[in-house]
Amino acid sequence: MERILTATDENIKKGAKILKEGGLVAFPTETVYGLGANVFLPEAVARIFEVKGRPRFDPLIVHISRHGMVSRLFREIPPLAEMLMEKFWPGPLTLVLPKKEEVPDIVTAGLSTVAVRMPAHPVALKLIDWADVPVAAPSANRFGHLSPTQAEEVALDLGEGVDLILDGGKTEIGVESTIIMIEEGKVFLLRPGGLSIEEIEKWVGKIETPPSSPKVLSPGTLKKHYAPRIPLYLFEGKIEELLLCDLSGIAIVSPFPIADSREEIKVLSEKGDIREVASNLFSVLRELEEGPFRAIISLTVEEKGLGRAIMDRLKRASSGYARVRKGKLVF
Ligand code: TXA
Ligand code: MG
């Protein structure tokens, strides 16, 4: 049965023991909650896929707590990667590089590369350190659903499949890590996330989008993902026109404050802070899918800095665009 325990040192130690013995522990990171297993126990890793309902072709991110652990995962570390680890770890940056043979295929879905990051959260770092093993952990949600930013959301989504949920409160960043791949001295973006591309580019120059190839580079970055259980539509038109429409049964998500205080309008950051927008995004969508609404319309943000990750998640969550035609809402 799943248990939610406050992430005290004593309970983190319990979690570390469970991981060592092949169990599953959900834990907070600075981005979202992860569902962890000992990376070197393929049967434990297999349970992650079962509990999440995640297809086996979707590889996992491996979490480490100290730089020394990386040598158990990556075959070699190019200077560019070394520098990025130095600059941005611990933090919301995941690096994809060729893997060592010891990394089980189930972790990487048979790919020859492995994704690794060092989370900037004391609970995650202690848990991994005390388990003394790298921890494979996808976001702790049912496959395709919104990532959890609070312990109770993990329990709701995954229930009894998890041996222990460590409650470390709401996660700070709220969107997942930025994933990049380094190949032949070039840096490719696989998923925008909590660390902005602009920040990374200060150190490595221009980041490229991966060349399109028949082999999917990041299989888990599926088009439809991170979705609430009711349809979500994006809106880029004039807000005044939208607000004049019949909005019965519809919730509106506005990243920033707007001059309308209807209850069904949810503002993600009253003080207009993009970091707060990211941090509240998934939890507000989860709250709205509980009802009483039949659809959500979300206003958009500019696609720069953290806004890029926010728009990436919103687009994947959405079923398309909402528009106003002759005073009426059309989807
Ligand atoms: O912030 C985060 O990254 C969170 C926390 C828990 O650390 N984790 C997370 O994991 O978002 P997940 O499994 O929900 O997303 C992992 C993504 C997937 O899209 C997967 O396809 C990609 O990482 N990925 C993993 N290994 C890869 C590899 N070897 N090559 C390319 N993409 C990979
Ligand atoms: Mg996920």
Side-chain angles (χ1 to χ4, degrees):
M1 209 189 81
E2 110 271 1
R3 294 172 297 165
I4 301 189
L5 296 179
T6 307
T8 57
D9 280 2
E10 195 190 339
N11 290 332
I12 298 172
K13 279 183 188 139
K14 284 184 191 155
K17 185 160 179 283
I18 293 173
L19 286 176
K20 272 192 184 162
E21 292 169 353
L24 300 189
V25 178
F27 60 94
T29 77
E30 79 281 35
T31 58
V32 299
Y33 274 74
L35 176 63
N38 180 337
V39 74
F40 295 119
L41 298 178
E43 280 172 28
V45 177
R47 263 186 71 205
I48 291 181
F49 288 88
E50 279 160 35
V51 169
K52 277 188 58 107
R54 179 177 177 121
R56 290 279 180 102
F57 61 73
D58 193 359
L60 308 177
I61 295 176
V62 183
H63 297 66
I64 59 170
S65 58
R66 29 190 156 87
H67 287 269
M69 281 184 176
V70 105
S71 56
R72 300 181 70 183
L73 303 163
F74 289 151
R75 204 158 59 214
E76 59 186 287
I77 301 166
L80 213 51
E82 192 81 62
M83 195 249 292
L84 289 172
M85 290 175 193
E86 199 54 49
K87 285 281 159 226
F88 296 113
W89 280 2
L93 175 69
T94 297
L95 297 176
V96 174
L97 283 168
K99 79 174 184 80
K100 279 215 162 140
E101 213 167 306
E102 298 87 282
V103 179
D105 278 339
I106 186 162
V107 174
T108 64
L111 296 175
S112 59
T113 53
V114 62
V116 180
R117 85 178 192 97
M118 188 190 290
H121 194 293
V123 174
L125 292 173
K126 281 181 187 173
L127 177 71
I128 301 163
D129 217 36
W130 292 342
D132 200 23
V133 70
V135 172
S139 51
N141 50 280
R142 287 285 303 171
F143 182 69
H145 197 204
L146 305 158
S147 296
T149 56
Q150 304 178 84
E152 309 80 63
E153 295 171 354
V154 178
L156 280 173
D157 256 32
L158 304 181
E160 310 227 321
V162 189
D163 299 307
L164 173 63
I165 300 171
L166 288 170
D167 186 350
K170 194 169 174 219
T171 61
E172 195 186 325
I173 295 179
V175 291
E176 302 81 352
S177 61
T178 303
I179 306 180
I180 60 172
M181 187 172 80
I182 300 170
E183 212 178 62
E184 289 166 8
K186 283 193 183 143
V187 182
F188 297 98
L189 177 72
L190 300 185
R191 177 178 77 182
L195 180 66
S196 76
I197 296 168
E198 292 86 339
E199 195 60 43
I200 306 172
E201 284 185 334
K202 280 187 201 158
W203 301 95
V204 300
K206 195 92 193 115
I207 294 182
E208 316 195 19
T209 40
S212 56
S213 78
K215 191 179 91 208
V216 193
L217 275 170
S218 197
T221 49
L222 301 169
K223 196 152 178 283
K224 180 89 186 188
H225 215 82
Y226 312 105
R229 286 194 303 266
I230 55 174
L232 178 144
Y233 301 95
L234 299 178
F235 182 81
E236 289 182 331
K238 290 207 178 77
I239 299 164
E240 307 76 47
E241 287 182 7
L242 175 67
L243 295 174
L244 287 173
C245 296
D246 172 14
L247 294 173
S248 47
I250 291 178
I252 304 224
V253 171
S254 176
F256 302 119
I258 49 175
D260 194 311
S261 57
R262 268 178 274 185
E263 217 186 298
E264 54 275 23
I265 300 177
K266 301 285 173 199
V267 174
L268 296 177
S269 174
E270 287 290 351
K271 57 176 193 272
D273 177 353
I274 192 82
R275 279 172 306 190
E276 198 178 20
V277 172
S279 149
N280 286 331
L281 178 66
F282 288 147
S283 56
V284 166
L285 293 179
R286 275 182 179 259
E287 187 188 312
L288 294 175
E289 73 180 1
E290 295 302 327
F293 306 104
R294 63 186 165 88
I296 301 168
I297 293 180
S298 176
L299 310 184
T300 57
V301 296
E302 198 187 337
E303 291 191 45
K304 64 160 208 254
L306 201 46
R308 218 188 295 253
I310 294 168
M311 283 310 295
D312 173 79
R313 303 309 185 270
L314 275 174
K315 282 180 189 165
R316 284 181 214 279
S318 82
S319 311
Y321 284 82
R323 292 185 177 80
V324 179
R325 282 218 189 95
K326 298 191 181 133
K328 286 218 167 60
L329 253 187
V330 286
F331 296 117

